[in-house]
Amino acid sequence: MPLLLSLVVLSAQPGEAPPGWFAGLEAHGTLLSGVAERSLLGVRFGGALRGGRRFEGHWGLAGLVESNLWLATELSRARVLRGALNLGVGPEFRWVGDHLRASLLVGPSILLTPTLLDAPGSVGVFVTVTPAQLAWAVRSLRITLSVLSLSIVAPVLRGIPLVDVQFRTTVGVEVLP
Amino acid sequence: MRRWLAALVLLATLEAQAFSVGTGFSSGCHERLTASLYSLYVVDLRFSGIELPRGEPWRKLSDAFTSEFHLEAFDDTRRAIIVSVLLGVRAPDTHSHSLFELSATRDIHLDPADQSAHALRGVDDDGPAGDTAALLATRAHLKRKVSEALAHLDERMTVSLALDFYGKVEVEVLRGPFHLGEALHALQDAFSHMLRTPDFQRVQHVMNFVDAMSTRYDEARDGLRHSSGLDVCDERGAGPAQAARVASLEFLDGLFQEGPEGADRVVESWLAHTPGCSIENAYCDNEFVPAARASGTTPLLGCSMTGAVPLVVLAALLLRRRRAAALSLSLTACGAAPAPLDLSCEAMRRAEACGGDLEGRWYVLSSCLRPLEVAAPPTCEEPSVVLDLTATGALEVRAEQARLEVRGRLREVLLRPRSCSASGDCLDVPGLDDGFPCSVQGDACACSRGGVGREVFDGPITRAERHLEVAGERLPYCARDGRLVVEVPAAPRPLLLGLGRAPSAGP
Ligand SMILES: [Zn+2]
């Protein structure tokens, strides 16, 4: 997979992202958590649908719906949980010839899985900050790569809050109609 | 990349923490052993005047633990005890942290002042005298934990633990059971961190973790390396985990029956030292030494490692699943010389070896049977009862030439069987459902006694020569292969049997 990605990236050109609608698919993942006083392991992964509209100049509006799966590693055997459904909307900023994008999306985070302390359905907050998403044009597609983004998935805010800080790597493909 | 390697090393280190507490990558041996004690003993104790912990988290955790370990909690007090004692038994290995919190884990396990909490040598416990010192320290630690538990028996306390996704969470628990959990941890570690005589009753040598993780480790001075070779946590087989469970049970029983002196007496008996075992004589040729050496704990980045093994290779090697060491044990039966004996078959072997009367009290630990109070019979007699134990925790008892009585009792603890059924190869006996009658009577499974009838065996066992008396009427009886299945609420669940001798048979 990294090899394939490298080939695509090397053969692609920096892309112009013209004004207009866009939509795409993304996959994200993270293995380690850097949060103090927490497990070093923080395996999270998932997929998302991202879309929006880019205006003339630097600015645009983006939205995202994602499924964020979690690997549980404490107390008993490791298992993948359905995690949270996250929704976000917010501004996108393009610069360096439109092949660098930054975005800040905010929205609800909905707990999908029962945890030790909470039942599914709890709704909290989702914030994801992408400082630099790289984009390359491959015909009418854009291949995107964000080496590091910060996402705060917090589907439970009452009682004992569930606030999961994730440092993610994200790849995607975008269609410009 | 360095973080990845660190994670691998961390996982390798976790694997080496015999017995382990539960994580995504290690089985919860301490928890399983302790949960079985709950089912066997604690569940039926009477409690009064215990104030429940406050807040919701302990209830949620109790749901998780009861479901994970198939425990039955009949009321909130027992739920609180389950949570408290299981968090207590985890605490010495976690100290409120995630085991994957690398910076904390190292400090916790290498704390020189905390080695006795894991029944290990301290840094100054050197040479043969080190064994004695470590045993004394472990006993003192256990004594301290017991007195802490008793001093705060009806108090509540707040403890922290690391939960997936939430990080550190504070939970209120019962202080007494929590400290008892800590004590049980040390006692159980005394079976995975100590070389013992083949019957596991006495200690030959105490192992070393804190020096073994340093580069100045010297086996002759510091003792055998801590090793994952002794942590085969298989409750079905014969091994340290079995013995640890029996010791834990006796410890609780000693405590509840006789108070702290009783607990200390049990601890003293299981920490009794057999001196003279050292590196020179391969620790009295202890059969666990090869397994211990094969998977000894080493400083992963130290100079004492063999050759320049790349870290990642080493981590991978350490991460591989260990093969369970094949163990053979020996026990003294009927005062005879020690003979090789499979602990799981001790009842049968004892019966075969010396015609041992099985009268007495026995633990049935999953598929393993162990005497609790069985007097060595003065004379050898025919075996009175043969037991077949199924792996699922159901207990099958096959009666041969015996009055058979299965009482769901452990000392004064009732087992509460859910159902009893019997089957045999003679289903046409009038008035009997399936071979011979058997039912739950009160808190016990009663078969062939009271109620419907009484088994009477006439001399050698043949179908024709056996009969059953029901309401004064003799009925043909052919349950030679009859089986009694006692279903208990949680499986696998230990049982204790009261086995009676066959009454003198007569037509
Ligand atoms: Zn330990």
Side-chain angles (χ1 to χ4, degrees):
Chain A
M1 184 63 187
L3 187 65
L4 188 69
L5 191 67
S6 313
L7 287 174
V8 170
V9 167
L10 287 173
S11 63
Q13 299 297 313
E16 293 284 311
W21 294 98
F22 71 96
L25 293 171
E26 286 180 358
H28 65 261
T30 175
L31 298 171
L32 302 175
S33 156
V35 181
E37 295 222 316
R38 283 217 183 181
S39 167
L40 181 68
L41 296 177
V43 179
R44 315 280 186 263
F45 56 96
L49 198 62
R50 183 191 276 259
R53 184 168 176 80
R54 297 193 171 105
F55 309 113
E56 293 291 345
H58 292 294
W59 291 95
L61 189 68
L64 171 138
V65 180
E66 70 162 31
S67 163
N68 185 218
L69 308 176
W70 307 337
L71 181 74
T73 56
E74 303 283 353
L75 293 183
S76 65
R77 72 196 183 286
R79 62 221 176 272
V80 174
L81 306 178
R82 287 170 67 205
L85 177 74
N86 300 321
L87 293 92
V89 63
E92 182 195 76
F93 185 81
R94 315 189 299 287
W95 82 103
V96 196
D98 285 344
H99 65 263
L100 267 181
R101 296 111 170 235
S103 62
L104 167 66
L105 310 185
V106 179
S109 173
I110 303 155
L111 188 65
L112 293 182
T113 192
T115 65
L116 270 179
L117 301 182
D118 292 292
S122 169
V123 180
V125 172
F126 170 66
V127 179
T128 183
V129 183
T130 307
Q133 183 193 53
L134 299 157
W136 291 268
V138 179
R139 299 195 182 91
S140 64
L141 302 176
R142 295 289 183 276
I143 306 295
T144 62
L145 168 69
S146 162
V147 177
L148 195 67
S149 65
L150 167 69
S151 298
I152 298 171
V153 178
V156 181
L157 297 174
R158 63 191 152 57
I160 295 174
L162 193 170
V163 180
D164 196 39
V165 177
Q166 304 173 8
F167 295 96
R168 300 174 174 179
T169 300
T170 308
V171 294
V173 58
E174 207 171 78
V175 186
L176 311 176
Chain B
M1 191 61 178
R2 279 181 63 192
R3 292 180 98 193
W4 254 119
L5 291 179
L8 283 174
V9 171
L10 173 67
L11 292 179
T13 310
L14 287 173
E15 185 76 357
Q17 298 299 325
F19 303 126
S20 51
V21 296
T23 72
F25 308 98
S26 58
S27 81
C29 187
H30 282 295
E31 292 95 322
R32 268 164 45 207
L33 288 173
T34 305
S36 73
L37 302 180
Y38 170 83
S39 296
L40 182 64
Y41 193 87
V42 179
V43 68
D44 287 308
L45 293 175
R46 282 168 206 269
F47 302 98
S48 61
I50 293 182
E51 264 189 81
L52 294 177
R54 287 163 297 198
E56 276 301 295
W58 74 270
R59 289 182 185 275
K60 305 265 174 76
L61 281 170
S62 89
D63 289 344
F65 285 140
T66 48
S67 130
E68 169 103 17
F69 299 110
H70 312 289
L71 303 176
E72 282 201 325
F74 301 111
D75 54 29
D76 279 347
T77 302
R78 282 168 179 75
R79 292 173 153 275
I81 288 170
I82 289 171
V83 170
S84 308
V85 78
L86 287 178
L87 291 183
V89 85
R90 284 178 62 82
D93 277 355
T94 62
H95 285 228
S96 312
H97 294 271
S98 163
L99 275 171
F100 303 109
E101 194 188 323
L102 194 55
S103 53
T105 305
R106 181 187 159 80
D107 292 345
I108 291 167
H109 291 285
L110 292 181
D111 180 357
D114 201 37
Q115 299 303 301
S116 60
H118 306 274
L120 286 159
R121 277 171 188 261
V123 281
D124 297 325
D125 298 342
D126 296 337
D131 286 318
T132 315
L135 286 165
L136 284 174
T138 301
R139 189 175 162 195
H141 171 80
L142 278 155
K143 228 173 175 170
R144 206 159 46 240
K145 286 296 159 192
V146 166
S147 56
E148 273 178 35
L150 293 179
H152 308 286
L153 204 52
D154 52 358
E155 288 177 24
R156 298 170 293 198
M157 71 187 289
T158 301
V159 297
S160 295
L161 79 154
L163 288 186
D164 274 309
F165 324 123
Y166 294 86
K168 246 187 205 176
V169 168
E170 292 199 330
V171 185
E172 196 165 275
V173 296
L174 301 175
R175 190 159 177 186
F178 181 85
H179 291 315
L180 279 186
E182 292 178 306
L184 287 169
H185 183 110
L187 184 60
Q188 291 162 6
D189 272 355
F191 292 81
S192 59
H193 295 165
M194 292 179 180
L195 296 176
R196 289 176 167 271
T197 48
D199 61 1
F200 294 111
Q201 303 278 340
R202 296 178 68 85
V203 177
Q204 293 173 317
H205 181 73
V206 185
M207 296 164 81
N208 188 313
F209 183 81
V210 67
D211 294 309
M213 287 295 279
S214 78
T215 53
R216 56 182 165 72
Y217 166 73
D218 170 15
E219 184 175 330
R221 179 194 61 202
D222 298 323
L224 190 64
R225 281 182 194 281
H226 168 281
S227 167
S228 54
L230 272 71
D231 73 341
V232 181
C233 191
D234 185 354
E235 290 133 68
R236 292 162 305 171
Q242 284 282 1
R245 179 147 68 164
V246 173
S248 302
L249 186 60
E250 289 185 3
F251 172 75
L252 286 185
D253 195 47
L255 180 64
F256 286 110
Q257 301 289 332
E258 303 163 41
E261 296 78 23
D264 189 49
R265 178 184 50 74
V266 171
V267 168
E268 188 184 14
S269 76
W270 284 101
L271 296 186
H273 187 210
T274 296
C277 301
S278 65
I279 187 171
E280 280 90 41
N281 57 13
Y283 305 99
C284 297
D285 294 320
N286 187 293
E287 60 189 303
F288 284 93
V289 170
R293 288 201 193 288
S295 37
T297 302
T298 51
L300 295 167
L301 295 168
C303 317
S304 69
M305 274 173 47
T306 320
V309 185
L311 182 59
V312 71
V313 175
L314 182 73
L317 283 173
L318 286 170
L319 276 166
R320 80 198 190 283
R321 290 188 76 83
R322 293 179 311 280
R323 283 160 294 167
L327 310 173
S328 64
L329 309 166
S330 68
L331 280 161
T332 307
C334 290
L341 204 61
D342 179 356
L343 194 61
S344 65
C345 299
E346 186 178 342
M348 279 62 95
R349 296 292 183 88
R350 186 185 278 247
E352 282 168 20
C354 56
D357 189 342
L358 297 181
E359 195 165 359
R361 298 207 279 184
W362 297 73
Y363 294 117
V364 180
L365 304 175
S366 298
S367 59
C368 186
L369 192 63
R370 199 190 151 98
L372 176 65
E373 290 170 8
V374 181
T379 56
C380 287
E381 297 172 17
E382 285 300 303
S384 58
V385 170
V386 175
L387 304 172
D388 286 330
L389 306 174
T390 68
T392 60
L395 173 70
E396 297 187 12
V397 180
R398 197 168 54 183
E400 299 194 60
Q401 225 178 4
R403 176 173 65 87
L404 184 134
E405 183 182 314
V406 179
R407 289 173 303 185
R409 276 180 180 276
L410 168 70
R411 306 205 175 175
E412 294 311 306
V413 179
L414 299 178
L415 187 68
R416 295 202 186 98
R418 201 175 254 160
S419 74
C420 306
S421 63
S423 62
D425 56 0
C426 187
L427 305 180
D428 55 352
V429 178
L432 301 182
D433 287 335
D434 191 12
F436 59 95
C438 190
S439 63
V440 180
Q441 291 186 0
D443 289 300
C445 267
C447 302
S448 309
R449 65 185 277 269
V452 181
R454 185 168 67 91
E455 269 188 290
V456 179
F457 301 98
D458 309 334
I461 304 165
T462 65
R463 288 187 178 203
E465 286 164 343
R466 302 170 81 188
H467 71 272
L468 192 73
E469 281 181 357
V470 178
E473 194 186 344
R474 281 176 64 118
L475 298 170
Y477 177 64
C478 54
R480 180 187 167 89
D481 297 321
R483 290 193 151 186
L484 165 66
V485 179
V486 183
E487 189 200 336
V488 292
R493 177 171 180 169
L495 297 175
L496 187 82
L497 305 179
L499 301 175
R501 286 273 300 124
S504 46

